[in-house]
């Protein structure tokens, strides 16, 4: 029997790895599907390709399906986030000019403390800072605003400008932006090109942020559940392999190929291993759990995370927060995830919502197989989001 070809869109980022690995290692083929991976230049391209039927599935920023459900962005095709592809994986960086000014104040670039980093930035900023982000509806924007709200940067202000990830280093070098929040490897590319230095990992702001999702058109999910299950199982197995110790070198070599990221594997390995070069001075920093593909129920689409995103978007765009949360609850499809993955060894949480930001250390929780532990998910300021608190 011939495999069914599924066109899938992605942006060249390290966190597209589950789709790329599922294809390259034959995991999709073993399920009876062939992935036609289509690299897109921007997130708006990915969204439109999925919404208008050019592709059946996509590697997508987690807030995009929520924003579409709320009527934001001009495209309203209902999408379902059927699983989370990756947790964390973003970096915040600054231009070479800001790096020099920060070093003059004695700032040590510890790549850890968001409060010290904000205070140092505020001390050298003489105007609102222009931050490059990949898309208006993204966790990059939400992380920046969380950081702004909780620190001295609120007095400085931030202007957000949309820059496609592969162009971020160039925008920084040319002075179009002062700083950025972007997914790897594009922060490391900025370091290697001497355009700037890395200031913080995104997880310093939210310790377990659902960065990308596997998204499909809701209509397609309902009419093609058999094909969707094949895709989800292949991608889940790819994420499990990526989460195993010792997979990083092989994964980096796969992602480095011309057809995908077309970058040195050593550069890609930084995100997979959590060992970063943060500046042109070759300073090294380690970030355990910088990018998660499997552990800690990383793939589970928590409805509470969709509601958190919806509340943030509602506040920024003047929407009814209660209605927004209600609309968002049906976007992250924990029901589909349970139905499709229950029989292949996925340890499923006992609940589909949780208190976001409440886990301070790795914690065992009730689950299908009784062996699941959730990882730290704290926000930088200790805030807790209760999806049931209206």
């Amino acid at each position: 029997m011939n495999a069914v070809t599924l066109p899938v869109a992605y942006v060249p980022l390290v966190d597209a790895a589950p789709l790329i690995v599922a294809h390259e290692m034959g995991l999709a083929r073993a399920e009876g599907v062939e992935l036609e991976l289509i690299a897109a230049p921007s997130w708006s391209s990915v969204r439109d390709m999925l919404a208008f039927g050019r592709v059946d599935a996509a590697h997508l920023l987690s807030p995009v399906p929520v924003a579409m459900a709320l009527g934001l962005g001009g495209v309203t095709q209902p999408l379902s986030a059927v699983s989370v592809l990756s947790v964390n994986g973003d970096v915040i960086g600054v231009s070479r000019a800001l790096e020099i000014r920060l070093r003059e104040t004695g700032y040590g670039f510890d790549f850890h403390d968001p409060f010290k980093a904000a205070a140092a930035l505020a001390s050298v900023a003489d105007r609102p800072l222009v931050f490059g982000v990949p898309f208006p509806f993204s966790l990059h924007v939400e992380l920046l605003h969380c950081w702004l709200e909780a620190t001295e940067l609120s007095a400085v202000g931030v202007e957000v400008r949309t820059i496609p990830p592969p162009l971020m280093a160039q925008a920084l070098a040319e002075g179009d932006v002062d700083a950025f929040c972007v997914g790897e490897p594009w922060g490391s590319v900025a370091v290697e090109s001497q355009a700037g230095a890395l200031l913080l990992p995104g997880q310093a702001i939210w310790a377990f942020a659902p960065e990308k999702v596997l998204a499909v058109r809701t209509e397609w999910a309902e009419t093609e559940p058999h094909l969707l299950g094949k895709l989800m199982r292949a991608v889940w197995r790819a994420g499990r392999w990526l989460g195993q110790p010792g997979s990083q070198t092989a994964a980096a070599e796969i992602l480095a190929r011309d057809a995908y990221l077309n970058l040195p594997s050593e550069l890609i390995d930084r995100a997979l291993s959590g060992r970063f070069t943060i500046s042109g001075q070759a300073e090294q920093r380690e970030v355990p759990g910088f990018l998660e593909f499997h552990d800690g129920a990383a793939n589970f689409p928590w409805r509470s995370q969709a509601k958190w995103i919806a509340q943030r978007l509602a506040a920024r765009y003047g929407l009814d927060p209660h209605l927004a949360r209600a609309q968002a609850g049906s976007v992250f499809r924990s029901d589909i995830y349970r139905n499709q993955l229950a029989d292949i060894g996925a340890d499923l949480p006992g609940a589909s919502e949780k208190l976001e930001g409440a886990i301070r250390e790795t914690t065992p929780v009730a689950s299908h197989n009784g062996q699941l532990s959730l990882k730290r998910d704290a926000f930088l300021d200790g805030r807790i989001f209760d999806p049931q608190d209206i």
Side-chain angles (χ1 to χ4, degrees):
M1 189 172 106
N2 293 331
V4 175
T5 297
L6 297 180
V8 182
Y10 73 99
V11 169
L13 289 156
V14 177
D15 58 26
L19 288 167
I20 295 169
V21 166
H23 174 63
E24 289 291 335
M25 295 186 66
L27 299 173
R29 200 169 301 113
E31 287 286 343
V33 293
E34 193 73 42
L35 302 187
E36 178 193 356
L37 298 178
I38 302 170
S42 67
W43 288 112
S44 59
S45 298
V46 172
R47 176 198 62 190
D48 294 350
M49 290 168 73
L50 180 59
F52 299 119
R54 169 65 182 84
V55 298
D56 293 326
H59 160 245
L60 197 59
L61 296 158
S62 59
V64 171
V66 176
M68 292 171 68
L70 303 185
L72 299 172
V75 180
T76 56
Q77 172 72 44
L79 300 184
S80 291
V82 295
S83 68
V84 174
L85 288 176
S86 62
V87 167
N88 300 333
D90 295 331
V91 290
I92 294 172
V94 295
S95 67
R96 180 74 178 124
L98 273 178
E99 178 193 0
I100 291 170
R101 290 159 68 181
L102 286 167
R103 291 191 187 281
E104 288 173 348
T105 70
Y107 181 67
F109 284 83
D110 63 16
F111 206 52
H112 170 71
D113 191 324
F115 296 98
K116 287 183 179 178
L121 262 186
S123 73
V124 301
D126 53 8
R127 57 174 172 77
L129 297 172
V130 180
F131 270 81
V133 299
F135 200 61
F137 309 119
S138 64
L139 278 190
H140 310 89
V141 172
E142 302 312 327
L143 293 175
L144 283 177
H145 280 284
C146 285
W147 189 33
L148 189 74
E149 294 159 9
T151 66
E152 297 177 39
L153 279 181
S154 57
V156 174
V158 166
E159 175 189 339
V160 173
R161 186 170 298 171
T162 300
I163 308 286
L167 301 181
M168 198 67 77
Q170 180 182 344
L172 194 69
E174 294 178 353
D176 294 333
V177 296
D178 301 309
F180 60 73
C181 182
V182 74
E184 277 292 282
W186 302 109
S188 290
V189 168
V191 171
E192 289 303 298
S193 64
Q194 304 291 314
L198 301 185
L199 194 67
L200 286 171
Q203 71 189 84
I205 299 168
W206 187 9
F208 209 75
E211 175 57 31
K212 304 298 188 309
V213 294
L214 177 64
V216 299
R217 289 182 306 284
T218 300
E219 180 184 15
W220 188 82
E222 293 170 351
T223 58
E224 299 288 354
H226 189 57
L227 286 178
L228 176 59
K230 291 174 178 291
L231 173 63
M232 290 178 65
R233 289 189 292 273
V235 171
W236 182 86
R237 288 189 171 103
R240 181 177 61 178
W241 178 79
L242 284 161
Q244 293 174 356
S247 69
Q248 289 90 348
T249 299
E253 291 174 352
I254 292 171
L255 295 173
R257 294 173 185 171
D258 293 351
Y260 302 120
L261 273 64
N262 191 24
L263 289 168
S265 61
E266 294 81 1
L267 204 62
I268 295 167
D269 183 68
R270 296 178 190 182
L272 296 173
S273 66
R275 293 187 292 272
F276 282 90
T277 300
I278 65 161
S279 75
Q281 300 183 19
E283 295 164 297
Q284 305 291 306
R285 302 288 185 270
E286 293 206 13
V287 186
F290 172 78
L291 182 56
E292 293 283 2
F293 293 111
H294 184 73
D295 291 346
N299 308 120
F300 189 76
W302 295 94
R303 294 183 185 273
S304 47
Q305 293 174 340
K307 290 182 177 181
W308 180 87
I309 291 168
Q311 180 151 304
R312 300 285 307 182
L313 293 175
R316 185 151 39 259
Y317 292 96
L319 306 178
D320 182 325
H322 308 310
L323 179 60
R325 295 205 315 190
Q327 292 170 321
S330 61
V331 174
F332 276 36
R333 300 296 300 272
S334 52
D335 56 330
I336 291 178
Y337 187 92
R338 292 180 187 282
N339 289 338
Q340 295 289 2
L341 299 181
D343 295 333
I344 68 166
D347 200 359
L348 305 171
S352 295
E353 295 188 349
K354 60 186 174 71
L355 296 175
E356 298 296 334
I359 302 174
R360 297 295 188 264
E361 58 185 21
T362 300
T363 303
V365 296
S367 67
H368 181 70
N369 295 333
Q371 298 178 330
L372 180 63
S373 292
L374 300 184
K375 294 192 172 184
R376 182 176 179 271
D377 72 348
F379 293 99
L380 78 163
D381 58 358
R383 71 182 71 186
I384 294 175
F385 173 74
D386 183 349
Q388 298 300 321
D389 182 3
I390 61 172

